[in-house]
Amino acid sequence: MTSTTTEQTFLLPDLGEGLTEAEVVQWLVAEGDVVTMDQPVVEVETAKSVVEVPCPYAGRVGVLHAAEGECVEVGRPLITISADPEPEPDPDPEPDPQPDPQAEAYRTEEQAGSGNVLVGYGTSAHPGAGRRRRPRGTRPAALAVPAAVAGPADDGVANPEPPHDSSPVRVISPIVRRLAREAGLDLAAIPPTGAGGTVTRSDVRAAVERARAASAPSPAAAVAPAAPGEHRIPLSGFRRAASRVLSRSRAEIPEATVWVDVDATALWELREATRTPDDPGPGLLAHIARFVVAGLEAYPVLNARLDTERDEIVVSDAVNLGIAVQGETGLVAPAVLGADSMTTRELDTALRDLTARARVGRSTPGELSGGTFTLNNYGSLGVDGSAAIINHPQVAILGFGRIIDRPWVVDGQIVPRKITQMSFVFDHRVCDGGTAAAFMRTVADAIENPLPAIVRL
């Protein structure tokens, strides 16, 4: 009796963000595991988020082509799946029970592979095809966590062979896994303090401090500190990709910057007057975002990209409003898709959801790559002004600084007003200063006199 084994190698797909590589955060399977079609097999970190990648093949895991922490280029081997060999038919088989047509169809489809490579666009899950995580015993060796790090035992008795638990360790964000991995800590040994047994970043930091204290030398064994010098910090996948995008923006786009001080007192008072204990209403950012959308509808050349190969300005029919968010991995600019079709209240809800997910690296590829214009609220960082870099391939970015009380002249009198600085960076190839200034004044005038602007929306 002979058999053959068919191997299929899954290449790292383009995850929809135009990136050339991704870093393996952690494998969800191990060599020898049996996987089903479209089962998530690995978590990878792109320039902007952490995503699970499903494998379009079913069978047994043969080779994992990259280690955790290693970068893989798009189109390079990620995982090899070996289909279980089929024995030659028995010359005198016993009668089989009545075949199940659905099971037969399932096996045929499973062996063929679905061909799905984009996260979130696979075939529907099959019964029993849950997420499989690699058994902890097969993970690469990590630094041992002393008992003082892991926390006190319940009964004080050592258990050299704890019961196997293949369930995943819950973390508050993917960054927690990276912090633990870089520190050489096993997440399973870190006492969680988050809701529902979730490990938080504070838990990891506390475990790191306990590990340092446990391994610190005694005073008698202390040695003099090393002489001052330098140390190297490797760029993460996020920083490498961001570096390429920002460098390309500055190298290709002849940008110009204009700015204006804006009296936001009227908008501030309007927001305060419409708030109630039961309904706080839309925030200031939502109102400003709605005015920006209206400005882009009036000057659509700024809601565009430049096709340099055909010398054409490509204007988008929809306003996908990008919002700069300082996340745990760095600055990202996911977009509220279809912001031009939303009311101010709907935009407020969408902005809050978008920024909350972006801060923990959970923006979708479509949100990260679909922006047509970016709004940057750098006032949240406590600064007044910024000459921002355009988010290539967009052609403009609008930023706001802090809203603070400043002396302002109103009807010949110096009075305190709530003032913010608005800066606008635009691609001088798509428009001149007149268009840029007109767009800025549209937004600034709406902020300074919001009621008529709201009526027109």
Side-chain angles (χ1 to χ4, degrees), residues 306-388:
L306 185 64
D307 186 342
T308 56
E309 294 184 357
R310 301 179 61 175
D311 289 330
E312 293 176 343
I313 299 172
V314 183
V315 179
S316 177
D317 293 333
V319 177
N320 296 334
L321 186 63
I323 300 294
V325 180
Q326 187 64 46
E328 293 181 339
T329 57
L331 185 66
V332 292
V336 175
L337 305 179
D340 53 313
S341 65
M342 298 181 180
T343 65
T344 303
R345 185 177 291 274
E346 290 170 342
L347 193 53
D348 181 75
T349 301
L351 286 170
R352 294 180 189 277
D353 171 68
L354 187 77
T355 54
R357 288 187 290 105
R359 289 193 180 102
V360 295
R362 286 303 182 187
S363 301
T364 67
E367 291 168 341
L368 292 169
S369 61
T372 58
F373 183 93
T374 297
L375 176 60
N376 188 358
N377 178 27
Y378 45 76
S380 62
L381 301 177
V383 298
D384 298 324
S386 170

Coordinates of all heavy atoms in Angstrom, one line a residue, residues 306-388:
L306 N -3.2 62.6 -6.4 CA -2.6 63.0 -7.7 C -2.0 61.8 -8.4 O -1.2 61.1 -7.8 CB -1.5 64.1 -7.4 CG -0.8 64.7 -8.7 CD1 -1.9 65.4 -9.5 CD2 0.3 65.5 -8.3
D307 N -2.5 61.5 -9.6 CA -2.0 60.5 -10.4 C -0.8 61.1 -11.3 O -1.1 61.7 -12.3 CB -3.1 59.9 -11.3 CG -2.6 58.7 -12.1 OD1 -1.4 58.5 -12.2 OD2 -3.5 57.9 -12.6
T308 N 0.4 60.9 -10.8 CA 1.5 61.5 -11.5 C 1.8 60.8 -12.9 O 2.4 61.5 -13.7 CB 2.8 61.4 -10.6 OG1 3.0 60.1 -10.2 CG2 2.6 62.3 -9.4
E309 N 1.5 59.6 -13.0 CA 1.7 58.9 -14.3 C 0.9 59.4 -15.4 O 1.3 59.5 -16.6 CB 1.5 57.4 -14.1 CG 2.5 56.7 -13.2 CD 2.3 55.2 -13.1 OE1 1.4 54.7 -13.8 OE2 3.1 54.6 -12.4
R310 N -0.4 59.8 -15.1 CA -1.3 60.3 -16.1 C -1.5 61.8 -16.0 O -2.3 62.4 -16.7 CB -2.6 59.6 -16.0 CG -2.5 58.1 -16.1 CD -3.8 57.4 -16.0 NE -4.8 57.8 -17.1 CZ -6.0 57.3 -17.2 NH1 -6.4 56.3 -16.4 NH2 -6.8 57.7 -18.2
D311 N -0.8 62.5 -15.0 CA -1.0 63.9 -14.8 C -2.4 64.3 -14.6 O -3.0 65.2 -15.3 CB -0.4 64.7 -16.0 CG 1.1 64.6 -16.0 OD1 1.7 64.5 -14.9 OD2 1.7 64.7 -17.1
E312 N -3.1 63.6 -13.7 CA -4.5 63.8 -13.4 C -4.7 63.9 -11.9 O -4.1 63.2 -11.1 CB -5.4 62.7 -14.0 CG -5.4 62.6 -15.5 CD -6.2 61.4 -16.0 OE1 -6.4 60.5 -15.2 OE2 -6.5 61.4 -17.2
I313 N -5.6 64.8 -11.5 CA -6.1 64.9 -10.1 C -7.3 64.0 -10.0 O -8.3 64.2 -10.7 CB -6.5 66.3 -9.7 CG1 -5.2 67.2 -9.9 CG2 -7.0 66.4 -8.3 CD1 -5.6 68.7 -9.7
V314 N -7.3 63.0 -9.1 CA -8.3 62.0 -9.0 C -9.2 62.4 -7.8 O -8.7 62.2 -6.6 CB -7.8 60.6 -8.9 CG1 -8.9 59.6 -8.8 CG2 -6.9 60.3 -10.0
V315 N -10.3 63.0 -8.0 CA -11.2 63.5 -6.9 C -12.1 62.3 -6.4 O -12.7 61.6 -7.3 CB -12.0 64.7 -7.4 CG1 -13.0 65.1 -6.2 CG2 -11.1 65.8 -7.8
S316 N -12.2 62.1 -5.2 CA -13.0 61.1 -4.6 C -14.5 61.5 -4.5 O -14.7 62.7 -4.1 CB -12.5 60.6 -3.2 OG -13.3 59.7 -2.6
D317 N -15.4 60.6 -4.8 CA -16.8 61.0 -4.7 C -17.3 61.0 -3.3 O -18.3 61.6 -3.0 CB -17.6 60.0 -5.5 CG -17.4 60.1 -7.0 OD1 -17.0 61.2 -7.5 OD2 -17.6 59.0 -7.7
A318 N -16.6 60.3 -2.4 CA -17.0 60.3 -1.0 C -15.9 60.9 -0.1 O -14.7 60.9 -0.5 CB -17.2 58.8 -0.5
V319 N -16.2 61.4 1.0 CA -15.3 61.9 2.0 C -15.0 60.9 3.0 O -15.9 60.6 3.9 CB -15.8 63.3 2.6 CG1 -14.7 63.7 3.7 CG2 -16.0 64.3 1.6
N320 N -13.9 60.3 3.0 CA -13.4 59.3 4.0 C -12.5 60.1 4.9 O -11.3 60.2 4.6 CB -12.8 58.1 3.4 CG -13.7 57.3 2.5 OD1 -14.9 57.3 2.7 ND2 -13.2 56.6 1.5
L321 N -13.0 60.6 6.0 CA -12.2 61.5 6.8 C -11.3 60.8 7.8 O -11.7 60.1 8.7 CB -13.2 62.4 7.6 CG -12.6 63.5 8.5 CD1 -11.9 64.5 7.5 CD2 -13.6 64.2 9.3
G322 N -10.0 60.9 7.5 CA -9.0 60.3 8.4 C -8.8 61.1 9.6 O -8.8 62.4 9.6
I323 N -8.5 60.5 10.7 CA -8.3 61.1 12.0 C -7.0 60.6 12.6 O -6.8 59.4 12.7 CB -9.4 60.8 13.0 CG1 -10.8 61.3 12.5 CG2 -9.1 61.5 14.4 CD1 -10.9 62.8 12.3
A324 N -6.1 61.6 12.8 CA -4.8 61.2 13.4 C -5.0 60.8 14.8 O -5.5 61.5 15.6 CB -3.8 62.3 13.3
V325 N -4.5 59.5 15.2 CA -4.7 59.0 16.5 C -3.3 58.5 17.0 O -2.6 57.7 16.3 CB -5.7 57.8 16.5 CG1 -5.9 57.3 17.9 CG2 -7.0 58.3 16.0
Q326 N -3.0 58.8 18.2 CA -1.7 58.3 18.8 C -2.0 57.0 19.5 O -2.6 56.9 20.5 CB -1.2 59.3 19.8 CG 0.2 58.9 20.4 CD 1.3 59.0 19.3 OE1 1.3 59.9 18.5 NE2 2.1 57.9 19.3
G327 N -1.7 55.9 18.8 CA -2.0 54.6 19.3 C -0.8 54.0 20.1 O 0.2 54.7 20.3
E328 N -0.9 52.8 20.5 CA 0.1 52.2 21.3 C 1.4 51.9 20.5 O 2.5 51.8 21.0 CB -0.4 50.9 22.0 CG -1.5 51.2 23.0 CD -2.0 49.9 23.7 OE1 -1.8 48.8 23.1 OE2 -2.6 50.0 24.8
T329 N 1.2 51.7 19.2 CA 2.3 51.4 18.3 C 2.9 52.6 17.7 O 4.0 52.6 17.1 CB 2.0 50.4 17.2 OG1 0.8 50.9 16.5 CG2 1.6 49.0 17.8
G330 N 2.1 53.7 17.7 CA 2.6 55.0 17.0 C 1.4 55.7 16.5 O 0.2 55.4 16.7
L331 N 1.7 56.7 15.7 CA 0.6 57.5 15.1 C 0.0 56.8 13.9 O 0.7 56.4 12.9 CB 1.2 58.9 14.7 CG 0.2 59.9 14.2 CD1 -0.7 60.4 15.3 CD2 0.9 61.1 13.6
V332 N -1.3 56.7 13.9 CA -2.0 56.2 12.7 C -3.1 57.1 12.3 O -3.5 58.1 13.1 CB -2.7 54.8 13.1 CG1 -1.6 53.7 13.3 CG2 -3.6 54.9 14.3
A333 N -3.7 57.0 11.2 CA -4.8 57.9 10.7 C -5.9 57.1 10.0 O -6.1 57.2 8.8 CB -4.2 58.9 9.7
P334 N -6.6 56.3 10.8 CA -7.8 55.6 10.2 C -8.8 56.5 9.8 O -8.9 57.7 10.3 CB -8.2 54.6 11.3 CG -7.8 55.4 12.6 CD -6.5 56.1 12.2
A335 N -9.7 56.1 8.9 CA -10.7 57.0 8.3 C -12.1 56.6 8.7 O -12.5 55.4 8.8 CB -10.6 57.1 6.8
V336 N -13.0 57.6 9.0 CA -14.4 57.4 9.0 C -14.9 57.3 7.6 O -14.9 58.3 6.9 CB -15.1 58.5 9.8 CG1 -16.6 58.4 9.7 CG2 -14.6 58.6 11.2
L337 N -15.2 56.1 7.2 CA -15.6 55.9 5.8 C -17.0 56.5 5.5 O -18.0 56.2 6.3 CB -15.6 54.4 5.4 CG -14.2 53.7 5.7 CD1 -14.3 52.3 5.4 CD2 -13.1 54.4 5.0
G338 N -17.2 57.3 4.5 CA -18.5 57.9 4.2 C -18.9 58.9 5.2 O -20.1 59.1 5.5
A339 N -17.9 59.8 5.6 CA -18.3 60.8 6.6 C -19.2 61.8 6.1 O -19.9 62.5 6.8 CB -17.0 61.5 7.1
D340 N -19.2 62.0 4.7 CA -20.1 63.0 4.1 C -21.6 62.6 4.2 O -22.4 63.5 4.0 CB -19.7 63.3 2.7 CG -19.6 62.0 1.9 OD1 -19.0 61.0 2.4 OD2 -20.1 61.9 0.8
S341 N -21.9 61.4 4.5 CA -23.3 61.0 4.6 C -23.8 61.0 6.0 O -24.9 60.5 6.2 CB -23.4 59.6 4.0 OG -22.7 58.6 4.7
M342 N -23.0 61.4 7.0 CA -23.3 61.3 8.4 C -23.8 62.7 8.9 O -23.3 63.7 8.5 CB -22.2 60.8 9.2 CG -21.7 59.4 8.9 SD -20.3 58.9 9.9 CE -20.0 57.3 9.3
T343 N -24.7 62.6 9.9 CA -25.0 63.8 10.7 C -23.9 64.1 11.7 O -23.0 63.2 11.9 CB -26.3 63.6 11.4 OG1 -26.2 62.6 12.4 CG2 -27.5 63.3 10.5
T344 N -24.0 65.2 12.4 CA -22.9 65.5 13.4 C -23.0 64.5 14.5 O -21.9 64.0 15.0 CB -23.1 66.9 13.9 OG1 -23.1 67.9 12.9 CG2 -22.0 67.3 14.9
R345 N -24.1 64.1 14.9 CA -24.2 63.1 16.0 C -23.7 61.7 15.5 O -23.0 61.0 16.2 CB -25.7 62.9 16.5 CG -25.8 62.0 17.6 CD -27.3 61.9 18.1 NE -27.7 63.2 18.7 CZ -27.5 63.5 20.0 NH1 -26.9 62.6 20.8 NH2 -27.9 64.6 20.5
E346 N -24.0 61.3 14.3 CA -23.5 60.1 13.8 C -22.0 60.1 13.6 O -21.3 59.1 13.9 CB -24.2 59.8 12.4 CG -25.6 59.4 12.5 CD -26.3 59.3 11.1 OE1 -25.7 59.9 10.2 OE2 -27.4 58.7 11.0
L347 N -21.5 61.3 13.2 CA -20.1 61.4 13.1 C -19.4 61.4 14.4 O -18.3 60.8 14.5 CB -19.8 62.8 12.4 CG -18.4 63.0 11.9 CD1 -17.9 61.9 10.9 CD2 -18.3 64.4 11.1
D348 N -20.0 61.9 15.4 CA -19.5 61.8 16.8 C -19.3 60.4 17.3 O -18.3 60.0 17.8 CB -20.4 62.6 17.8 CG -19.8 62.6 19.2 OD1 -18.9 63.3 19.5 OD2 -20.4 61.9 20.0
T349 N -20.4 59.6 17.0 CA -20.3 58.2 17.4 C -19.2 57.4 16.6 O -18.5 56.6 17.2 CB -21.7 57.5 17.1 OG1 -22.7 58.2 17.9 CG2 -21.7 56.0 17.5
A350 N -19.1 57.7 15.3 CA -18.1 57.0 14.5 C -16.7 57.4 14.9 O -15.8 56.6 15.0 CB -18.4 57.4 13.0
L351 N -16.5 58.7 15.3 CA -15.2 59.1 15.7 C -14.8 58.5 17.0 O -13.6 58.1 17.2 CB -15.2 60.6 15.8 CG -15.2 61.4 14.5 CD1 -15.4 62.9 14.8 CD2 -13.8 61.3 13.8
R352 N -15.7 58.4 17.9 CA -15.3 57.8 19.2 C -15.0 56.3 19.1 O -14.0 55.8 19.7 CB -16.5 58.0 20.2 CG -16.8 59.4 20.6 CD -17.9 59.6 21.6 NE -18.3 60.9 21.8 CZ -17.7 61.8 22.6 NH1 -16.7 61.3 23.3 NH2 -18.1 63.0 22.7
D353 N -15.8 55.6 18.3 CA -15.5 54.2 18.0 C -14.1 54.0 17.3 O -13.3 53.1 17.6 CB -16.6 53.6 17.2 CG -16.3 52.2 16.7 OD1 -16.2 51.3 17.6 OD2 -16.1 52.0 15.5
L354 N -13.9 54.8 16.3 CA -12.7 54.7 15.5 C -11.5 55.0 16.3 O -10.5 54.2 16.2 CB -12.8 55.7 14.3 CG -11.7 55.6 13.3 CD1 -11.9 54.5 12.3 CD2 -11.6 56.9 12.5
T355 N -11.5 56.0 17.1 CA -10.3 56.4 17.9 C -10.0 55.3 19.0 O -8.9 55.0 19.3 CB -10.4 57.8 18.5 OG1 -11.6 57.9 19.3 CG2 -10.4 58.8 17.4
A356 N -11.1 54.8 19.6 CA -10.9 53.8 20.6 C -10.2 52.6 20.1 O -9.3 52.0 20.7 CB -12.3 53.5 21.3
R357 N -10.7 52.1 18.9 CA -10.0 50.9 18.3 C -8.7 51.2 17.8 O -7.8 50.3 17.9 CB -10.9 50.4 17.2 CG -12.2 49.7 17.7 CD -13.0 49.1 16.6 NE -13.6 50.0 15.7 CZ -13.2 50.3 14.5 NH1 -12.1 49.6 14.0 NH2 -13.8 51.2 13.7
A358 N -8.4 52.4 17.3 CA -7.1 52.7 16.8 C -6.1 52.8 17.9 O -4.9 52.4 17.6 CB -7.2 54.1 16.0
R359 N -6.4 53.2 19.1 CA -5.5 53.3 20.2 C -4.9 51.9 20.6 O -3.8 51.8 21.1 CB -6.1 54.0 21.4 CG -6.3 55.5 21.1 CD -6.7 56.2 22.4 NE -6.9 57.6 22.2 CZ -8.1 58.2 22.2 NH1 -9.2 57.4 22.3 NH2 -8.2 59.4 22.0
V360 N -5.7 50.9 20.3 CA -5.2 49.5 20.7 C -4.9 48.7 19.5 O -4.8 47.5 19.5 CB -6.3 48.8 21.6 CG1 -6.4 49.5 22.9 CG2 -7.6 48.7 20.9
G361 N -4.7 49.3 18.3 CA -4.3 48.6 17.1 C -5.3 47.8 16.5 O -5.0 46.8 15.9
R362 N -6.6 48.1 16.6 CA -7.6 47.3 16.0 C -8.4 48.0 14.9 O -9.6 47.7 14.6 CB -8.6 46.9 17.1 CG -8.1 45.9 18.1 CD -7.6 44.6 17.3 NE -7.1 43.6 18.2 CZ -6.6 42.5 17.7 NH1 -6.5 42.3 16.4 NH2 -6.1 41.5 18.6
S363 N -7.8 48.9 14.2 CA -8.4 49.5 13.0 C -8.4 48.5 11.9 O -7.5 47.6 11.8 CB -7.6 50.7 12.5 OG -7.6 51.7 13.6
T364 N -9.3 48.5 11.0 CA -9.4 47.6 9.9 C -8.5 48.1 8.8 O -8.2 49.3 8.7 CB -10.8 47.5 9.4 OG1 -11.2 48.7 8.7 CG2 -11.8 47.2 10.5
P365 N -8.0 47.2 7.9 CA -7.2 47.6 6.8 C -7.9 48.6 5.9 O -7.3 49.6 5.4 CB -7.0 46.3 6.0 CG -7.1 45.2 7.0 CD -8.1 45.7 8.0
G366 N -9.3 48.5 5.7 CA -10.0 49.5 4.9 C -10.0 50.9 5.5 O -9.9 51.9 4.8
E367 N -10.1 50.9 6.9 CA -10.0 52.2 7.5 C -8.7 52.9 7.5 O -8.5 54.1 7.3 CB -10.4 52.1 9.0 CG -11.9 51.7 9.2 CD -12.2 51.3 10.6 OE1 -11.2 50.9 11.4 OE2 -13.4 51.3 11.0
L368 N -7.6 52.0 7.5 CA -6.3 52.5 7.5 C -5.8 53.0 6.1 O -4.9 53.8 6.0 CB -5.3 51.5 8.0 CG -5.5 51.2 9.5 CD1 -4.7 49.9 9.9 CD2 -5.0 52.3 10.4
S369 N -6.4 52.4 5.1 CA -5.9 52.8 3.7 C -6.9 53.6 2.9 O -6.6 54.0 1.8 CB -5.6 51.5 2.9 OG -6.8 50.6 2.8
G370 N -8.1 53.8 3.5 CA -9.2 54.4 2.7 C -9.4 55.9 2.8 O -10.2 56.5 2.2
G371 N -8.5 56.5 3.7 CA -8.7 58.0 3.9 C -8.5 58.8 2.7 O -7.6 58.5 1.8
T372 N -9.3 59.9 2.5 CA -9.1 60.8 1.4 C -8.7 62.2 1.9 O -8.2 63.0 1.0 CB -10.5 61.0 0.6 OG1 -11.5 61.4 1.5 CG2 -10.9 59.6 0.0
F373 N -8.7 62.4 3.2 CA -8.3 63.7 3.8 C -8.1 63.4 5.2 O -8.8 62.6 5.8 CB -9.4 64.8 3.6 CG -9.0 66.1 4.1 CD1 -8.4 67.0 3.2 CD2 -9.3 66.5 5.4 CE1 -8.0 68.3 3.7 CE2 -8.9 67.7 5.9 CZ -8.3 68.7 5.0
T374 N -7.1 64.1 5.9 CA -6.8 63.8 7.3 C -7.0 65.1 8.1 O -6.6 66.2 7.8 CB -5.4 63.3 7.4 OG1 -5.3 62.1 6.7 CG2 -5.1 63.1 8.9
L375 N -7.7 64.9 9.3 CA -7.9 65.9 10.3 C -7.0 65.5 11.5 O -7.0 64.4 12.0 CB -9.3 66.0 10.7 CG -9.7 66.9 11.9 CD1 -9.3 68.3 11.5 CD2 -11.2 66.8 12.2
N376 N -6.1 66.5 11.9 CA -5.2 66.2 13.0 C -5.5 67.1 14.2 O -5.3 68.3 14.1 CB -3.7 66.4 12.5 CG -2.7 66.0 13.4 OD1 -3.0 65.5 14.5 ND2 -1.4 66.1 13.1
N377 N -5.9 66.5 15.3 CA -6.2 67.2 16.5 C -5.0 67.2 17.4 O -5.0 66.5 18.4 CB -7.4 66.6 17.2 CG -7.7 67.3 18.5 OD1 -7.4 68.5 18.7 ND2 -8.4 66.6 19.4
Y378 N -3.9 67.9 17.0 CA -2.7 67.8 17.8 C -2.8 68.6 19.1 O -2.0 68.6 20.0 CB -1.5 68.3 17.0 CG -1.7 69.5 16.2 CD1 -1.7 70.8 16.8 CD2 -1.8 69.5 14.8 CE1 -1.8 71.9 16.0 CE2 -1.9 70.6 14.1 CZ -2.0 71.8 14.7 OH -2.1 73.0 13.9
G379 N -3.9 69.4 19.2 CA -4.2 70.0 20.5 C -4.3 69.1 21.7 O -4.1 69.4 22.8
S380 N -4.8 67.8 21.4 CA -4.9 66.8 22.4 C -3.5 66.5 23.0 O -3.5 65.9 24.1 CB -5.6 65.6 21.9 OG -4.8 65.0 20.8
L381 N -2.5 66.8 22.3 CA -1.1 66.5 22.8 C -0.6 67.7 23.6 O 0.6 67.7 24.0 CB -0.2 66.2 21.7 CG -0.6 65.0 20.8 CD1 0.4 64.8 19.6 CD2 -0.6 63.7 21.6
G382 N -1.4 68.8 23.7 CA -1.0 69.9 24.5 C -0.1 70.9 23.8 O 0.6 71.7 24.4
V383 N -0.2 71.0 22.5 CA 0.6 71.9 21.7 C -0.3 72.8 20.9 O -1.5 72.5 20.7 CB 1.6 71.2 20.7 CG1 2.6 70.4 21.5 CG2 0.8 70.3 19.7
D384 N 0.2 73.9 20.4 CA -0.6 74.9 19.7 C -0.5 74.9 18.2 O -1.5 75.2 17.5 CB -0.2 76.3 20.2 CG -0.4 76.5 21.6 OD1 -1.4 76.0 22.2 OD2 0.4 77.2 22.3
G385 N 0.6 74.4 17.7 CA 0.7 74.4 16.2 C 1.6 73.3 15.7 O 2.4 72.7 16.5
S386 N 1.5 73.0 14.4 CA 2.3 72.0 13.8 C 2.3 72.1 12.3 O 1.3 72.5 11.7 CB 1.7 70.6 14.2 OG 2.4 69.6 13.4
A387 N 3.4 71.9 11.7 CA 3.5 71.8 10.2 C 3.5 70.4 9.9 O 4.6 69.7 9.8 CB 4.8 72.5 9.7
A388 N 2.3 69.8 9.8 CA 2.2 68.4 9.6 C 2.7 67.9 8.3 O 2.9 68.7 7.3 CB 0.7 68.0 9.8

